[in-house]
Amino acid sequence: MSTDQASSADQLLASVDAEPGDRVRVHRDEDTLEGRVMPRHGFSDPDVVVLKLDSGYNIGLRVDEGDEVERLETGGEAPEQPPAMPDDVDELPTVALLGTGGTIASFVEYRTGAVHPATSPEELAAAVPEAFEHARLDPEVVFEAFSEDLTPDHWSQLADAVEAAFERGVEGVVVTHGTDTMHYTAMALELAFDELPGPVVLVGAQRSSDRPSSDAATNLTSAVRVAAETDAGEAMVVMHEGMSDETWAIHAAGRARKMHTSRRDAFQSLDHRPLGVVTDDAIEWNVEPREPADRVQRSGSFDADVGLVHSYPGIDADEIRAAARDGLVVAGTGLGHLPSHLAEDVDELTDEGTLVAMASQCLNGRTNMHVYETGRQLVEAGAIEAGDMLPETAYVKLVWALATADDPDEARELFRQPQGREQSPRTGFYYPREEAR
Ligand code: GLU
């Protein structure tokens, strides 16, 4: 990395050769602050130095021009907080905490001061004392990745870890995940199990833990509460419901979608009411959660190749063909359309054995390919309607259906049948603005 790309935090620390664990004094205007340098991670704000003060608190200092730093001692190991397990921890339900990466993982590193996410219950208890009031957490790092880098193989790996956790007797599972593709993974985990003996709760954070507005701790605590305190046998997503720190929404797998790049309430349920809400003192359901089963039972796999393409004015046959593999999901316009002249190409693709599904890029509402000629031609060409499934949901489901079925007809049927809450046969869909009227 060239020097002009180095962050101002790195530059300030490098100016005195200070490493994580070293004790430093930062001079700013009239003030001085002393503490140990905390480790930095992939999600750290490049312009913030985090110090652990003698009081035990961590403080993030945004580096200003004119700041000066002195190195007082070399500290060797980065500081660790003493383990703080609550006394009654053995009486609480056990919840597996499966780490997969993302901004939320950095929260755990940042709070423990370790350079890796917490892997022992003691480290975790030190990092998330709030969550430990509700459960005995059983941590495992399944992988550490940005969620945009995940593939269907990661869904399988994660499903294996969820299965193993229930087999060792946990009451619920929390999966910490990057938010970019968390809704795909939620759908995958819902499809990966015929039976779940407890809730599988996915949670992420929109704001890094070294920012004052971080949602990492409160999202994680709410997710742990849902996993520990509810009787539900399904996969769901728990994230901030609004802008305040008062309520967290519980979204159904297949219906949750990231709808904003940065807001803490970025996740919304589409075409479905949120399953429930977590408040400071209760978990309230809008929709009765699915009863937990007695045991964990896997279903199918994700070993199939599917493309997902967005239709737009000017899209051509080459683009459709390049995206088509064993299967193709098109986020079509309106009721589920592609430009009329591409119906012939869809016909050829389905003849060659590709399963083609049409969803709608409107996101709200359902496809109806019998209203206009364009839709009818696509149906005649063999395309399947995704109904009210989101394009991303349809993508995950088509991967699963193709990998799980023994033949194309069975794959088509698996895709069309509701497997969980990801699609409904009726048109009475949920639309938040409608609710507000
Ligand atoms: N883009 C990254 C991811 O989805 C980091 C952002 C986040 O964790 O929300 O993993």
PDB file of all heavy atoms in Angstrom, residues 358-379:
ATOM      1  N   MET A 358     -39.480 -16.075 -13.651  1.00  0.00           N
ATOM      2  CA  MET A 358     -39.688 -14.628 -13.760  1.00  0.00           C
ATOM      3  C   MET A 358     -40.192 -14.081 -12.427  1.00  0.00           C
ATOM      4  O   MET A 358     -41.243 -14.488 -11.932  1.00  0.00           O
ATOM      5  CB  MET A 358     -40.759 -14.309 -14.821  1.00  0.00           C
ATOM      6  CG  MET A 358     -40.420 -14.683 -16.240  1.00  0.00           C
ATOM      7  SD  MET A 358     -38.988 -13.837 -16.943  1.00  0.00           S
ATOM      8  CE  MET A 358     -39.360 -12.114 -16.653  1.00  0.00           C
ATOM      9  N   ALA A 359     -39.404 -13.146 -11.830  1.00  0.00           N
ATOM     10  CA  ALA A 359     -39.848 -12.429 -10.632  1.00  0.00           C
ATOM     11  C   ALA A 359     -40.077 -10.973 -11.052  1.00  0.00           C
ATOM     12  O   ALA A 359     -39.943 -10.645 -12.229  1.00  0.00           O
ATOM     13  CB  ALA A 359     -38.791 -12.534  -9.547  1.00  0.00           C
ATOM     14  N   SER A 360     -40.425 -10.126 -10.089  1.00  0.00           N
ATOM     15  CA  SER A 360     -40.646  -8.721 -10.446  1.00  0.00           C
ATOM     16  C   SER A 360     -39.687  -7.798  -9.713  1.00  0.00           C
ATOM     17  O   SER A 360     -39.522  -7.895  -8.499  1.00  0.00           O
ATOM     18  CB  SER A 360     -42.073  -8.292 -10.116  1.00  0.00           C
ATOM     19  OG  SER A 360     -42.156  -6.887 -10.313  1.00  0.00           O
ATOM     20  N   GLN A 361     -39.092  -6.890 -10.454  1.00  0.00           N
ATOM     21  CA  GLN A 361     -38.204  -5.896  -9.829  1.00  0.00           C
ATOM     22  C   GLN A 361     -38.993  -4.824  -9.079  1.00  0.00           C
ATOM     23  O   GLN A 361     -38.411  -3.968  -8.425  1.00  0.00           O
ATOM     24  CB  GLN A 361     -37.257  -5.272 -10.862  1.00  0.00           C
ATOM     25  CG  GLN A 361     -37.953  -4.624 -12.020  1.00  0.00           C
ATOM     26  CD  GLN A 361     -37.007  -4.252 -13.153  1.00  0.00           C
ATOM     27  OE1 GLN A 361     -36.785  -3.086 -13.385  1.00  0.00           O
ATOM     28  NE2 GLN A 361     -36.458  -5.217 -13.872  1.00  0.00           N
ATOM     29  N   CYS A 362     -40.344  -4.878  -9.124  1.00  0.00           N
ATOM     30  CA  CYS A 362     -41.144  -3.972  -8.287  1.00  0.00           C
ATOM     31  C   CYS A 362     -40.979  -4.330  -6.809  1.00  0.00           C
ATOM     32  O   CYS A 362     -41.260  -3.519  -5.932  1.00  0.00           O
ATOM     33  CB  CYS A 362     -42.626  -4.067  -8.625  1.00  0.00           C
ATOM     34  SG  CYS A 362     -43.020  -3.560 -10.288  1.00  0.00           S
ATOM     35  N   LEU A 363     -40.582  -5.558  -6.532  1.00  0.00           N
ATOM     36  CA  LEU A 363     -40.361  -6.095  -5.177  1.00  0.00           C
ATOM     37  C   LEU A 363     -41.656  -6.290  -4.399  1.00  0.00           C
ATOM     38  O   LEU A 363     -41.868  -7.309  -3.776  1.00  0.00           O
ATOM     39  CB  LEU A 363     -39.382  -5.247  -4.363  1.00  0.00           C
ATOM     40  CG  LEU A 363     -38.028  -4.988  -5.036  1.00  0.00           C
ATOM     41  CD1 LEU A 363     -37.158  -4.105  -4.133  1.00  0.00           C
ATOM     42  CD2 LEU A 363     -37.305  -6.276  -5.377  1.00  0.00           C
ATOM     43  N   ASN A 364     -42.536  -5.304  -4.409  1.00  0.00           N
ATOM     44  CA  ASN A 364     -43.847  -5.467  -3.776  1.00  0.00           C
ATOM     45  C   ASN A 364     -44.833  -5.983  -4.822  1.00  0.00           C
ATOM     46  O   ASN A 364     -44.774  -5.580  -5.985  1.00  0.00           O
ATOM     47  CB  ASN A 364     -44.356  -4.130  -3.226  1.00  0.00           C
ATOM     48  CG  ASN A 364     -43.604  -3.698  -1.978  1.00  0.00           C
ATOM     49  OD1 ASN A 364     -43.802  -4.236  -0.896  1.00  0.00           O
ATOM     50  ND2 ASN A 364     -42.706  -2.743  -2.135  1.00  0.00           N
ATOM     51  N   GLY A 365     -45.743  -6.849  -4.378  1.00  0.00           N
ATOM     52  CA  GLY A 365     -46.753  -7.373  -5.298  1.00  0.00           C
ATOM     53  C   GLY A 365     -46.290  -8.675  -5.914  1.00  0.00           C
ATOM     54  O   GLY A 365     -45.221  -9.193  -5.574  1.00  0.00           O
ATOM     55  N   ARG A 366     -47.088  -9.219  -6.822  1.00  0.00           N
ATOM     56  CA  ARG A 366     -46.747 -10.520  -7.397  1.00  0.00           C
ATOM     57  C   ARG A 366     -46.747 -10.466  -8.922  1.00  0.00           C
ATOM     58  O   ARG A 366     -47.347  -9.567  -9.524  1.00  0.00           O
ATOM     59  CB  ARG A 366     -47.681 -11.603  -6.884  1.00  0.00           C
ATOM     60  CG  ARG A 366     -49.136 -11.380  -7.229  1.00  0.00           C
ATOM     61  CD  ARG A 366     -50.042 -12.336  -6.455  1.00  0.00           C
ATOM     62  NE  ARG A 366     -49.659 -13.700  -6.642  1.00  0.00           N
ATOM     63  CZ  ARG A 366     -49.359 -14.548  -5.631  1.00  0.00           C
ATOM     64  NH1 ARG A 366     -49.429 -14.146  -4.378  1.00  0.00           N
ATOM     65  NH2 ARG A 366     -49.016 -15.792  -5.867  1.00  0.00           N
ATOM     66  N   THR A 367     -46.089 -11.432  -9.514  1.00  0.00           N
ATOM     67  CA  THR A 367     -46.091 -11.498 -10.973  1.00  0.00           C
ATOM     68  C   THR A 367     -47.491 -11.914 -11.447  1.00  0.00           C
ATOM     69  O   THR A 367     -48.209 -12.619 -10.735  1.00  0.00           O
ATOM     70  CB  THR A 367     -45.080 -12.555 -11.482  1.00  0.00           C
ATOM     71  OG1 THR A 367     -45.371 -13.807 -10.855  1.00  0.00           O
ATOM     72  CG2 THR A 367     -43.652 -12.155 -11.152  1.00  0.00           C
ATOM     73  N   ASN A 368     -47.847 -11.452 -12.623  1.00  0.00           N
ATOM     74  CA  ASN A 368     -49.045 -11.959 -13.279  1.00  0.00           C
ATOM     75  C   ASN A 368     -48.763 -11.904 -14.768  1.00  0.00           C
ATOM     76  O   ASN A 368     -48.816 -10.838 -15.384  1.00  0.00           O
ATOM     77  CB  ASN A 368     -50.282 -11.137 -12.918  1.00  0.00           C
ATOM     78  CG  ASN A 368     -51.527 -11.767 -13.522  1.00  0.00           C
ATOM     79  OD1 ASN A 368     -51.426 -12.628 -14.414  1.00  0.00           O
ATOM     80  ND2 ASN A 368     -52.688 -11.362 -13.052  1.00  0.00           N
ATOM     81  N   MET A 369     -48.441 -13.056 -15.321  1.00  0.00           N
ATOM     82  CA  MET A 369     -47.973 -13.082 -16.700  1.00  0.00           C
ATOM     83  C   MET A 369     -49.082 -13.449 -17.683  1.00  0.00           C
ATOM     84  O   MET A 369     -48.824 -13.880 -18.792  1.00  0.00           O
ATOM     85  CB  MET A 369     -46.764 -14.013 -16.797  1.00  0.00           C
ATOM     86  CG  MET A 369     -45.615 -13.401 -15.980  1.00  0.00           C
ATOM     87  SD  MET A 369     -44.280 -14.528 -15.650  1.00  0.00           S
ATOM     88  CE  MET A 369     -43.708 -14.902 -17.288  1.00  0.00           C
ATOM     89  N   HIS A 370     -50.321 -13.242 -17.222  1.00  0.00           N
ATOM     90  CA  HIS A 370     -51.450 -13.539 -18.114  1.00  0.00           C
ATOM     91  C   HIS A 370     -52.191 -12.279 -18.513  1.00  0.00           C
ATOM     92  O   HIS A 370     -53.210 -12.326 -19.164  1.00  0.00           O
ATOM     93  CB  HIS A 370     -52.402 -14.543 -17.446  1.00  0.00           C
ATOM     94  CG  HIS A 370     -51.705 -15.829 -17.154  1.00  0.00           C
ATOM     95  ND1 HIS A 370     -51.556 -16.811 -18.089  1.00  0.00           N
ATOM     96  CD2 HIS A 370     -51.044 -16.249 -16.055  1.00  0.00           C
ATOM     97  CE1 HIS A 370     -50.838 -17.794 -17.570  1.00  0.00           C
ATOM     98  NE2 HIS A 370     -50.525 -17.468 -16.333  1.00  0.00           N
ATOM     99  N   VAL A 371     -51.670 -11.132 -18.110  1.00  0.00           N
ATOM    100  CA  VAL A 371     -52.360  -9.875 -18.400  1.00  0.00           C
ATOM    101  C   VAL A 371     -51.962  -9.344 -19.773  1.00  0.00           C
ATOM    102  O   VAL A 371     -52.808  -8.946 -20.566  1.00  0.00           O
ATOM    103  CB  VAL A 371     -52.040  -8.829 -17.307  1.00  0.00           C
ATOM    104  CG1 VAL A 371     -52.719  -7.500 -17.626  1.00  0.00           C
ATOM    105  CG2 VAL A 371     -52.475  -9.337 -15.931  1.00  0.00           C
ATOM    106  N   TYR A 372     -50.667  -9.347 -20.053  1.00  0.00           N
ATOM    107  CA  TYR A 372     -50.182  -8.794 -21.329  1.00  0.00           C
ATOM    108  C   TYR A 372     -49.609  -9.893 -22.214  1.00  0.00           C
ATOM    109  O   TYR A 372     -49.118 -10.907 -21.721  1.00  0.00           O
ATOM    110  CB  TYR A 372     -49.084  -7.747 -21.062  1.00  0.00           C
ATOM    111  CG  TYR A 372     -49.584  -6.583 -20.252  1.00  0.00           C
ATOM    112  CD1 TYR A 372     -49.273  -6.470 -18.905  1.00  0.00           C
ATOM    113  CD2 TYR A 372     -50.403  -5.611 -20.839  1.00  0.00           C
ATOM    114  CE1 TYR A 372     -49.746  -5.416 -18.147  1.00  0.00           C
ATOM    115  CE2 TYR A 372     -50.884  -4.555 -20.090  1.00  0.00           C
ATOM    116  CZ  TYR A 372     -50.553  -4.458 -18.744  1.00  0.00           C
ATOM    117  OH  TYR A 372     -51.037  -3.424 -18.010  1.00  0.00           O
ATOM    118  N   GLU A 373     -49.588  -9.612 -23.483  1.00  0.00           N
ATOM    119  CA  GLU A 373     -49.069 -10.559 -24.468  1.00  0.00           C
ATOM    120  C   GLU A 373     -47.627 -10.977 -24.129  1.00  0.00           C
ATOM    121  O   GLU A 373     -47.269 -12.152 -24.224  1.00  0.00           O
ATOM    122  CB  GLU A 373     -49.162  -9.893 -25.865  1.00  0.00           C
ATOM    123  CG  GLU A 373     -48.756 -10.752 -27.038  1.00  0.00           C
ATOM    124  CD  GLU A 373     -49.573 -12.042 -27.148  1.00  0.00           C
ATOM    125  OE1 GLU A 373     -50.681 -12.117 -26.587  1.00  0.00           O
ATOM    126  OE2 GLU A 373     -49.069 -12.994 -27.772  1.00  0.00           O
ATOM    127  N   THR A 374     -46.813  -9.986 -23.703  1.00  0.00           N
ATOM    128  CA  THR A 374     -45.405 -10.283 -23.386  1.00  0.00           C
ATOM    129  C   THR A 374     -45.311 -11.379 -22.324  1.00  0.00           C
ATOM    130  O   THR A 374     -44.509 -12.304 -22.438  1.00  0.00           O
ATOM    131  CB  THR A 374     -44.705  -9.027 -22.803  1.00  0.00           C
ATOM    132  OG1 THR A 374     -45.311  -7.879 -23.347  1.00  0.00           O
ATOM    133  CG2 THR A 374     -43.239  -9.068 -23.017  1.00  0.00           C
ATOM    134  N   GLY A 375     -46.135 -11.250 -21.292  1.00  0.00           N
ATOM    135  CA  GLY A 375     -46.125 -12.246 -20.226  1.00  0.00           C
ATOM    136  C   GLY A 375     -46.577 -13.598 -20.747  1.00  0.00           C
ATOM    137  O   GLY A 375     -45.960 -14.634 -20.464  1.00  0.00           O
ATOM    138  N   ARG A 376     -47.650 -13.577 -21.527  1.00  0.00           N
ATOM    139  CA  ARG A 376     -48.194 -14.851 -22.043  1.00  0.00           C
ATOM    140  C   ARG A 376     -47.158 -15.581 -22.896  1.00  0.00           C
ATOM    141  O   ARG A 376     -46.983 -16.785 -22.804  1.00  0.00           O
ATOM    142  CB  ARG A 376     -49.477 -14.590 -22.844  1.00  0.00           C
ATOM    143  CG  ARG A 376     -50.677 -14.304 -21.949  1.00  0.00           C
ATOM    144  CD  ARG A 376     -51.995 -14.399 -22.691  1.00  0.00           C
ATOM    145  NE  ARG A 376     -52.179 -13.314 -23.646  1.00  0.00           N
ATOM    146  CZ  ARG A 376     -52.755 -12.137 -23.351  1.00  0.00           C
ATOM    147  NH1 ARG A 376     -53.207 -11.912 -22.117  1.00  0.00           N
ATOM    148  NH2 ARG A 376     -52.884 -11.204 -24.264  1.00  0.00           N
ATOM    149  N   GLN A 377     -46.426 -14.792 -23.703  1.00  0.00           N
ATOM    150  CA  GLN A 377     -45.393 -15.427 -24.558  1.00  0.00           C
ATOM    151  C   GLN A 377     -44.315 -16.088 -23.704  1.00  0.00           C
ATOM    152  O   GLN A 377     -43.815 -17.160 -24.030  1.00  0.00           O
ATOM    153  CB  GLN A 377     -44.726 -14.364 -25.437  1.00  0.00           C
ATOM    154  CG  GLN A 377     -45.536 -14.006 -26.654  1.00  0.00           C
ATOM    155  CD  GLN A 377     -44.937 -12.799 -27.367  1.00  0.00           C
ATOM    156  OE1 GLN A 377     -44.052 -12.127 -26.845  1.00  0.00           O
ATOM    157  NE2 GLN A 377     -45.434 -12.526 -28.551  1.00  0.00           N
ATOM    158  N   LEU A 378     -43.966 -15.432 -22.605  1.00  0.00           N
ATOM    159  CA  LEU A 378     -42.915 -16.010 -21.736  1.00  0.00           C
ATOM    160  C   LEU A 378     -43.414 -17.291 -21.077  1.00  0.00           C
ATOM    161  O   LEU A 378     -42.663 -18.253 -20.938  1.00  0.00           O
ATOM    162  CB  LEU A 378     -42.472 -14.990 -20.671  1.00  0.00           C
ATOM    163  CG  LEU A 378     -41.647 -13.820 -21.208  1.00  0.00           C
ATOM    164  CD1 LEU A 378     -41.499 -12.726 -20.133  1.00  0.00           C
ATOM    165  CD2 LEU A 378     -40.256 -14.286 -21.643  1.00  0.00           C
ATOM    166  N   VAL A 379     -44.687 -17.298 -20.691  1.00  0.00           N
ATOM    167  CA  VAL A 379     -45.256 -18.518 -20.096  1.00  0.00           C
ATOM    168  C   VAL A 379     -45.251 -19.636 -21.147  1.00  0.00           C
ATOM    169  O   VAL A 379     -44.849 -20.772 -20.873  1.00  0.00           O
ATOM    170  CB  VAL A 379     -46.680 -18.259 -19.555  1.00  0.00           C
ATOM    171  CG1 VAL A 379     -47.343 -19.556 -19.106  1.00  0.00           C
ATOM    172  CG2 VAL A 379     -46.633 -17.274 -18.381  1.00  0.00           C
TER     173      VAL A 379
END
